[in-house]
């Protein structure tokens, strides 16, 4: 059938019903079955093929050979950004993928094998196949539909005879060994720990211990992929991963920092601001990490860029000694050029201690409600539990009555009289029925039932929003949980100074000074 007049590939795809069957059928027509590793799941997905027009196949071939990704773009239309985020699937812009592959070629030379742990539609492997004409190309994918698309793209590019797609979870994918160096490259899937099963969280902890490292079960899926790579890589293997940049600073990113300085042999980190849209479906900061397994460089290159064009600007590179990274628990500030404040100014830390609020581990249970009405009155504390409560307050929080109450039981329950203790026991029995005590946070507290809220902070600040942080004078003596920072002056400044400090901070902090996550939220 001829191509309809004034129609393009995407006219066709949007004019017809978007289905997995049509996309799978197009992949098969493009040669997906010719690529090694065909699986039972893919066979089931292609059991009932639908007719695919000749012009559609021809136009797809033309676009793929021209360096485009029509199959990946159609997949992104088929599944919304929200649906793909649930599987951690974010497609890397070609310009960033190209830069990563080209820098890997310059730094490490041609590999014997290229492995993409989350291959998607094979954007990385397709480009790598051109730059490394003799390398075996291996893509790992857990979803059979993108696996089909990867096969189709590789077959269309003439790379099918040296390609393999493995339908498996990368953490236990059977990849084997090869003679020569392997290049691990790609965009590991991003999933928050809430979406990771307990079994895989245990895997993270147990496998980290085998390397002599500690892991937090609050770590996201990309952390698991770094660990799996460190496990399977041979000395001299290399890698370039693009991930969310949060591991540079957060506590649960410590495992990646330890792997970077340890078995992975980290050499370079390029941080990309959200303005460059490194993840088109998620306005978040990205980090491109270069490593060579077994290496221990004395110095590491760090850089921060605001645009994709900025990746070519070597003038912003900073050389940081390994000892500095080992001594620091947060690395993002090391990617920025040092900024001196105006003459006569001091850092906030010289005036105040800053503490993030307490994590309850189960807000629905530890925030007062019908389930807690029988508890003694002295265990309820007016608490800032949402950022918007501070934003609405303006520069002063005057009235605690507008806030919810957080339940904070003492570690020693013997302080209650007989009747109070009965009510507390009923409350805790209900908590156990709901398995509140088995949550990660509760299970790691000295007493699982005691949230241990901090004392009221004279100044409160939001720490994550789509705007600069709100600084609020806390005249209501409210407590705060982990949606806010508490500023505790190092000496008694008096009301006038505290108010002036709030005024100044409210106008001096910019969004660019934070770290932006998926969804556009910026953390300060």
């Amino acid at each position: 059938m001829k191509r309809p007049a004034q129609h393009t590939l995407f006219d066709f795809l949007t004019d017809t019903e978007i289905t997995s069957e049509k996309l799978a059928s197009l992949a098969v027509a493009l040669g997906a079955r010719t690529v090694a590793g065909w699986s039972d799941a893919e066979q089931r997905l292609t059991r009932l093929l639908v007719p695919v027009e000749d012009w559609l196949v021809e136009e797809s071939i033309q676009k793929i050979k021209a360096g485009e990704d029509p199959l990946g773009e159609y997949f992104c239309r088929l599944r919304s950004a929200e649906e793909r985020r649930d599987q951690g699937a974010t497609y890397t812009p070609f310009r960033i993928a190209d830069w990563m592959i080209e820098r890997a070629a310059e730094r490490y030379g041609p590999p014997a094998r290229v492995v993409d742990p989350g291959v998607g539609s094979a954007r990385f492997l397709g480009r790598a196949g051109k730059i490394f004409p003799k390398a075996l190309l291996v893509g790992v994918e857990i979803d059979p539909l993108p696996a089909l698309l990867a096969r189709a793209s590789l077959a269309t590019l003439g790379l099918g005879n040296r390609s393999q797609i493995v339908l498996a979870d990368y953490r236990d994918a059977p990849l084997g060994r090869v003679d020569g160096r392997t290049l691990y490259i790609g965009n590991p899937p991003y999933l928050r720990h809430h979406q990771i099963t307990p079994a895989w969280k245990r895997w993270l902890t147990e496998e980290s211990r085998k390397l002599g490292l500690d892991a937090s079960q609050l770590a996201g899926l990309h952390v698991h992929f770094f660990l799996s790579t460190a496990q399977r890589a041979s000395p001299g293997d290399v890698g370039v991963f693009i991930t969310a940049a949060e591991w540079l600073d957060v506590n649960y990113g410590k495992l990646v920092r330890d792997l970077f300085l340890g078995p992975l042999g980290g050499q370079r980190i390029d941080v990309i601001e959200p303005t460059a849209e490194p993840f088109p479906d998620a306005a978040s900061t990205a980090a491109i990490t270069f490593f060579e397994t077994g290496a221990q460089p004395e110095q590491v290159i760090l850089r921060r860029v605001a645009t994709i064009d900025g990746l070519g600007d070597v003038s912003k590179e900073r050389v940081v000694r390994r000892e500095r990274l080992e001594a620091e628990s947060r690395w993002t500030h090391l990617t920025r050029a040092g900024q001196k404040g105006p003459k006569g100014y001091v850092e906030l830390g010289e005036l105040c201690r800053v503490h993030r609020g307490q994590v309850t581990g189960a807000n629905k249970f530890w925030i007062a409600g019908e389930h807690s009405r029988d508890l003694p009155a002295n265990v309820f504390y007016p608490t800032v539990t949402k950022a918007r409560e501070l934003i609405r307050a303006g520069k002063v929080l005057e009235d605690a009555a507008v806030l919810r109450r957080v339940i904070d039981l003492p570690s020693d329950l013997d302080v209650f009289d007989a009747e109070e203790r009965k009510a507390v026991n009923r409350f805790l029995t209900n908590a156990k029925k709901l398995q509140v005590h088995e949550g990660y946070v509760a299970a790691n507290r000295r007493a699982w039932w005691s949230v241990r809220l901090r004392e009221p902070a004279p100044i409160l600040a939001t720490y994550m929003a789509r705007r600069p942080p709100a600084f609020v004078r806390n005249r209501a003596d409210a407590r705060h949980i982990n949606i806010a920072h508490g500023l505790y002056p190092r000496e008694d400044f008096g009301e006038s100074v505290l108010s002036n400090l709030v005024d100044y901070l409210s106008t001096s902090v910019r969004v660019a000074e934070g770290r932006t996550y998926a969804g556009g939220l910026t953390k300060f």
Side-chain angles (χ1 to χ4, degrees):
M1 181 183 296
K2 293 183 178 180
R3 176 179 180 271
Q6 298 181 343
H7 262 60
T8 67
L9 171 63
F10 293 118
D11 289 330
F12 175 81
L13 296 176
T14 54
D15 288 347
T16 60
E17 183 181 359
I18 300 175
T19 66
S20 297
E21 289 78 12
K22 178 168 285 293
L23 189 53
S25 300
L26 177 58
V28 170
L30 292 170
R33 284 198 176 106
T34 66
V35 177
W38 188 257
S39 66
D40 291 341
E42 291 165 286
Q43 180 61 33
R44 289 192 294 271
L45 187 58
T46 57
R47 187 171 296 160
L48 298 176
L49 297 177
V50 298
V52 179
E53 291 78 357
D54 292 342
W55 71 264
L56 177 58
V57 176
E58 292 169 5
E59 187 161 308
S60 299
I61 292 172
Q62 291 173 10
K63 287 180 175 291
I64 292 170
K65 289 185 174 181
E68 299 179 42
D69 182 21
L71 302 182
E73 292 179 21
Y74 179 51
F75 179 73
C76 291
R77 295 185 179 205
L78 176 65
R79 294 188 188 168
S80 68
E82 291 74 19
E83 291 174 308
R84 282 180 281 115
R85 272 199 290 269
D86 286 342
Q87 295 182 323
T90 303
Y91 283 61
T92 307
F94 273 126
R95 291 178 65 194
I96 293 179
D98 287 342
W99 183 86
M100 291 168 60
I101 297 165
E102 289 164 4
R103 296 296 81 73
E106 290 175 4
R107 178 179 284 271
Y108 305 120
R113 177 175 67 169
V114 180
V115 173
D116 184 342
V119 71
S121 57
R123 289 190 176 186
F124 282 95
L125 286 189
R127 293 298 215 261
K130 293 180 180 179
I131 293 181
F132 306 120
K134 296 182 179 180
L136 173 65
L137 308 173
V138 180
V140 183
E141 178 57 56
I142 200 169
D143 187 330
L145 183 54
L148 279 172
L149 306 185
R151 294 180 189 281
S153 294
L154 294 169
T156 301
L157 290 169
L159 303 172
N161 62 337
R162 56 187 175 100
S163 299
Q164 179 186 12
I165 300 298
V166 180
L167 189 69
D169 189 306
Y170 177 65
R171 291 167 288 188
D172 59 8
L175 300 185
R177 304 281 182 179
V178 295
D179 292 331
R181 170 176 283 174
T182 293
L183 166 63
Y184 295 89
I185 193 164
N187 179 356
Y190 179 90
L191 281 181
R192 298 184 66 194
H193 76 94
H194 311 84
Q195 297 166 279
I196 300 173
T197 65
W200 278 119
K201 289 185 176 184
R202 288 193 298 272
W203 173 89
L204 183 73
T205 301
E206 293 166 1
E207 297 303 316
S208 297
R209 286 174 182 163
K210 293 178 182 179
L211 297 177
L213 303 175
D214 294 324
S216 167
Q217 293 192 0
L218 301 179
L221 185 58
H222 57 302
V223 176
H224 292 228
F225 274 50
F226 273 106
L227 175 60
S228 181
T229 302
Q231 286 180 313
R232 64 175 76 244
S234 299
D237 285 350
V238 296
V240 188
F241 284 165
I242 179 170
T243 64
E246 63 188 50
W247 65 266
L248 296 171
D249 294 324
V250 296
N251 291 336
Y252 47 83
K254 183 178 184 298
L255 176 59
V256 181
R257 298 194 294 273
D258 289 342
L259 290 169
F260 183 89
L261 293 173
L264 280 180
Q267 299 173 318
R268 177 188 183 106
I269 302 170
D270 292 88
V271 174
I272 308 177
E273 299 279 15
T275 51
E277 296 186 341
F279 306 118
D281 298 321
S284 60
T285 308
I288 300 177
T289 308
F290 291 76
F291 54 89
E292 181 174 0
T293 307
Q296 285 197 326
E298 294 182 357
Q299 298 176 327
V300 173
I301 296 174
L302 302 179
R303 186 174 59 152
R304 190 177 195 91
V305 299
T307 65
I308 294 179
D309 290 337
L311 288 170
D313 182 3
V314 297
S315 66
K316 293 186 177 180
E317 292 180 352
R318 301 186 66 202
V319 177
V320 178
R321 291 191 61 80
R322 179 188 183 85
E323 292 84 356
R324 178 78 185 276
L325 294 173
E326 291 173 338
E328 298 271 0
S329 61
R330 292 180 175 144
W331 292 358
T332 289
H333 71 282
L334 299 176
T335 68
R336 297 187 174 101
Q339 294 182 352
K340 293 183 178 180
K343 185 177 179 179
Y345 281 58
V346 297
E347 291 187 356
L348 179 61
E350 295 185 42
L351 301 176
C352 301
R353 292 176 292 110
V354 182
H355 293 293
R356 186 176 165 192
Q358 189 58 272
V359 179
T360 71
N363 281 0
K364 288 183 179 179
F365 194 81
W366 296 114
I367 293 177
E370 184 62 24
H371 65 289
S372 61
R373 58 187 176 86
D374 294 332
L375 288 175
N378 62 355
V379 304
F380 298 105
Y381 293 84
T383 304
V384 173
T385 59
K386 294 182 180 295
R388 64 172 174 262
E389 294 168 353
L390 291 178
I391 294 170
R392 287 173 181 169
K395 292 184 180 179
V396 181
L397 179 63
E398 296 275 12
D399 186 7
V402 300
L403 303 175
R404 296 189 291 179
R405 269 53 178 165
V406 169
I407 301 156
D408 196 4
L409 297 170
S411 298
D412 182 6
L413 299 179
D414 289 337
V415 299
F416 296 112
D417 63 32
E419 288 303 311
E420 290 174 336
R421 184 61 183 270
K422 288 180 182 178
V424 169
N425 287 344
R426 288 194 298 271
F427 176 77
L428 296 182
T429 297
N430 186 34
K432 287 187 173 182
K433 289 179 180 178
L434 297 173
Q435 299 180 319
V436 172
H437 65 304
E438 295 180 1
Y440 178 82
V441 173
N444 284 277
R445 285 199 283 247
R446 187 179 306 167
W448 70 264
W449 57 81
S450 183
V451 172
R452 300 183 69 188
L453 293 169
R454 294 187 182 278
E455 290 299 312
I459 297 174
L460 294 170
T462 59
Y463 89 98
M464 201 163 192
R466 291 181 175 84
R467 46 154 286 168
F471 292 90
V472 180
R473 176 72 177 93
N474 181 20
R475 289 186 185 147
D477 286 335
R479 310 298 174 101
H480 65 291
I481 61 173
N482 63 318
I483 55 84
H485 288 306
L487 279 62
Y488 297 84
R490 294 186 181 276
E491 57 184 276
D492 185 4
F493 290 129
E495 185 60 37
S496 176
V497 172
L498 291 178
S499 296
N500 287 341
L501 182 57
V502 167
D503 287 342
Y504 174 76
L505 292 173
S506 296
T507 58
S508 67
V509 183
R510 297 174 295 116
V511 170
E513 295 172 299
R515 183 174 65 255
T516 306
Y517 287 74
L521 291 173
T522 300
K523 178 184 284 188
F524 298 87

